């Protein structure tokens, strides 16, 4: 059973920074693509960033490109999301997800991820 647990969400002022962490169980963490998604009230769950198994390939949503950075430490079974220059529109519950498939590239669709955390709330005040 794979477990994914996010942490690090909190209230932050606009322009500030925050780093989210996602710890995943399982001895094969290094063979999973990992992704971050977010969901604001009344909205669908949207793609934020994804990283390949080895950490070489990363994808970002246009809305966060240049401000957010996804990274991973396979020795610690952890993936991170560094968020800088935060805006009120970044307010959402942030979810981490694992894709254990054999695909060559990380995915950007919700349906491509099999395992999800419970989410962590990020609130950006103006």
């Amino acid at each position: 059973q794979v477990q994914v647990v996010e942490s690090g969400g909190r209230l932050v002022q606009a322009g500030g920074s925050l780093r989210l962490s996602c710890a995943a169980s399982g001895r094969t963490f290094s063979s999973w693509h990992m992704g971050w998604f977010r969901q604001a009230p009344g909205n669908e769950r949207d793609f934020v960033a994804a990283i390949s198994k080895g950490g070489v390939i990363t994808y970002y949503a246009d809305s966060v490109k240049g401000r957010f950075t996804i990274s991973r430490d396979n020795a610690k079974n952890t993936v991170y999301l560094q968020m800088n220059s935060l805006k009120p529109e970044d307010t959402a519950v942030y979810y981490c997800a694992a894709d254990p498939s054999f695909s060559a590239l990380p995915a950007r669709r919700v349906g491509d991820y099999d395992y999800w955390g419970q989410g962590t709330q990020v609130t950006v005040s103006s």
Side-chain angles (χ1 to χ4, degrees), residues 15-110:
S17 298
L18 203 58
R19 188 177 83 158
L20 304 182
S21 298
C22 169
S25 65
R27 293 185 296 175
T28 56
F29 176 79
S30 60
S31 64
W32 306 338
H33 298 311
M34 299 295 294
W36 283 99
F37 293 77
R38 66 186 182 185
Q39 188 168 17
N43 290 358
E44 294 183 346
R45 192 168 297 188
D46 294 328
F47 170 75
V48 175
I51 189 167
S52 61
K53 303 170 185 180
V56 175
I57 299 170
T58 56
Y59 296 138
Y60 296 94
D62 288 343
S63 59
V64 307
K65 203 170 292 183
R67 299 188 298 123
F68 290 11
T69 302
I70 188 171
S71 62
R72 66 190 295 162
D73 185 339
N74 285 344
K76 296 182 178 179
N77 280 23
T78 302
V79 62
Y80 304 97
L81 185 68
Q82 177 67 42
M83 305 186 293
N84 299 328
S85 302
L86 283 161
K87 305 175 181 179
E89 51 262 44
D90 294 318
T91 295
V93 177
Y94 282 71
Y95 295 92
C96 178
D99 170 16
S101 72
F102 294 107
S103 60
L105 299 174
R108 285 172 268 204
R109 299 182 303 178
V110 169

